[in-house]
C-alpha cells in the first residue's frame, strides 16, 4: 500500500514538473494532456487518475502556490500587528 502511495506522489510531481516545463515552451492553450503525460513519463490514464484535465491541473497548482504563499506570509508577519492580513 505504501509503495503505491509513493508512486502516486512521484507521478503527480512528475506531472507538475512536465507541465511547468511545457509552459516555458508554449502557451497553455497549445499544451495537450498527452504531451504532459509523455514528458512526465506516464500514461494518459495515470494523468487522469490524478486530474480531470489540464485546467484541473492548473487550478490545483495555483491553489497549492497560493496556500504556500499565504503560509509564508503569515509566518513572516506573525507577531507584527502593524499589518492587518484580513484587509487583503
Amino acid at each position: 500500500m505504501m509503495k503505491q502511495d509513493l508512486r502516486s506522489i512521484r507521478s503527480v510531481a512528475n506531472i507538475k514538473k512536465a507541465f511547468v516545463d511545457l509552459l516555458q515552451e508554449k502557451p497553455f492553450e497549445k499544451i495537450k494532456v498527452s504531451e504532459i503525460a509523455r514528458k512526465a513519463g506516464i500514461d494518459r490514464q495515470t494523468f487522469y487518475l490524478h486530474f480531470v484535465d489540464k485546467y484541473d491541473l492548473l487550478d490545483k497548482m495555483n491553489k497549492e502556490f497560493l496556500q504556500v504563499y499565504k503560509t509564508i506570509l503569515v509566518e513572516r508577519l506573525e507577531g507584527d500587528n502593524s499589518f492587518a492580513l484580513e484587509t487583503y
Side-chain angles (χ1 to χ4, degrees):
M1 180 99 165
M2 185 65 160
K3 186 176 186 178
Q4 187 175 8
D5 292 341
L6 291 175
R7 189 172 43 190
S8 291
I9 291 167
R10 187 172 34 249
S11 292
V12 170
N14 289 343
I15 290 168
K16 290 176 182 177
K17 181 179 181 337
F19 183 56
V20 170
D21 290 348
L22 286 167
L23 282 171
Q24 293 175 347
E25 297 172 14
K26 59 173 83 178
F28 174 79
E29 297 80 19
K30 302 268 186 192
I31 296 173
K32 297 179 181 177
V33 169
S34 58
E35 292 176 295
I36 298 169
R38 186 173 37 255
K39 194 162 189 79
I42 59 165
D43 294 327
R44 279 183 38 231
Q45 296 89 335
T46 302
F47 177 93
Y48 289 118
L49 284 174
H50 301 286
F51 304 99
V52 174
D53 53 23
K54 68 179 186 177
Y55 298 93
D56 182 42
L57 170 59
L58 179 63
D59 183 54
K60 288 179 178 173
M61 288 182 69
N62 280 334
K63 286 178 181 174
E64 287 176 16
F65 173 79
L66 289 173
Q67 184 57 48
V68 169
Y69 181 76
K70 180 181 175 184
T71 300
I72 292 169
L73 187 60
V74 168
E75 286 174 359
R76 291 186 183 228
L77 296 174
E78 197 170 68
D80 182 0
N81 295 328
S82 64
F83 183 81
L85 186 59
E86 296 80 31
T87 62
Y88 290 93

